[in-house]
Amino acid sequence: MFKNKPKSLLILGILTILNTSLAILNGIISLVSGPPGAEQIKKENLEMAKTIVDFRQLDPPPEVMEIIEKIQQISTAVNDNFLFFTGISTLFSIIGLVSVILMFRKEIYGFHAYIVYSILSSISIYFILSPSEVPTPLIVVNLLFSGLFVFLYSRNLAWIKNDSSLTNNEE
């Protein structure tokens, strides 16, 4: 499966396979073990409240406090929608894993599936929260990393399409 592939595609693919495989494994384990219990949720909420109190003593800018409070809302929403969110996140990771395997098999649909995976993974939080509750920096950072990986994968499109006259990624 790894023979004669551009090194950059191989590195990107291995990174994506590791990331998506771990996400799938974590998702399956989470789905099997079920949502956190009331005690664990209460403990997490107390720890987050303590963190917020400690952080406020440092007198941070209001924007930073807003992001921290929104992260607490995200945590609550994930716990409230545990099965749904964990299920779709696992499904998105499966799409990512399949996309890399397809790209390794020189299927252009793998690249298209990777774009879908990147977008869905970046915006998945919107499935359980309204846009006003999601910190913009979180989405921006996710989209920037996704865009970077899509760009890096796109540098290997000539090889994926099997057009040998355009392939320069053997370095």
Side-chain angles (χ1 to χ4, degrees):
M1 179 157 134
F2 298 118
K3 265 187 168 175
N4 301 322
K5 304 219 177 342
K7 288 180 184 176
S8 59
L9 178 64
L10 192 59
I11 292 168
L12 289 168
I14 290 171
L15 289 173
T16 303
I17 288 170
L18 287 172
N19 180 50
T20 56
S21 297
L22 289 173
I24 292 167
L25 182 63
N26 185 41
I28 291 170
I29 290 170
S30 294
L31 288 169
V32 169
S33 65
E39 280 295 315
Q40 186 169 351
I41 292 172
K42 185 178 179 180
K43 181 181 175 184
E44 288 174 9
N45 288 340
L46 286 173
E47 287 175 12
M48 188 62 159
K50 183 179 183 263
T51 301
I52 289 173
V53 168
D54 290 345
F55 204 71
R56 282 191 187 190
Q57 292 175 351
L58 300 173
D59 196 30
E63 297 84 13
V64 174
M65 285 309 300
E66 181 182 347
I67 290 172
I68 291 173
E69 289 166 357
K70 285 184 177 184
I71 289 172
Q72 184 177 22
Q73 291 173 342
I74 290 171
S75 177
T76 300
V78 167
N79 286 333
D80 292 346
N81 300 286
F82 180 81
L83 291 176
F84 174 72
F85 189 73
T86 304
I88 64 168
S89 296
T90 305
L91 177 64
F92 296 161
S93 296
I94 291 169
I95 292 169
L97 180 62
V98 169
S99 72
V100 172
I101 292 169
L102 289 173
M103 282 191 275
F104 279 176
R105 297 173 76 189
K106 292 188 159 196
E107 301 275 344
I108 191 66
Y109 297 116
F111 179 69
H112 297 141
Y114 187 81
I115 293 171
V116 170
Y117 155 73
S118 296
I119 292 169
L120 289 174
S121 294
S122 294
I123 65 167
S124 62
I125 197 70
Y126 288 120
F127 288 103
I128 60 170
L129 283 174
S130 71
S132 65
E133 296 173 319
V134 178
T136 303
L138 175 72
I139 300 302
V140 169
V141 168
N142 282 339
L143 288 173
L144 284 174
F145 275 105
S146 293
L148 174 65
F149 270 74
V150 168
F151 171 74
L152 292 172
Y153 273 113
S154 75
R155 307 284 294 154
N156 295 285
L157 281 176
W159 182 86
I160 293 170
K161 290 179 181 178
N162 201 19
D163 186 352
S164 60
S165 66
L166 298 174
T167 304
N168 272 340
N169 293 328
E170 296 293 330
E171 300 173 12

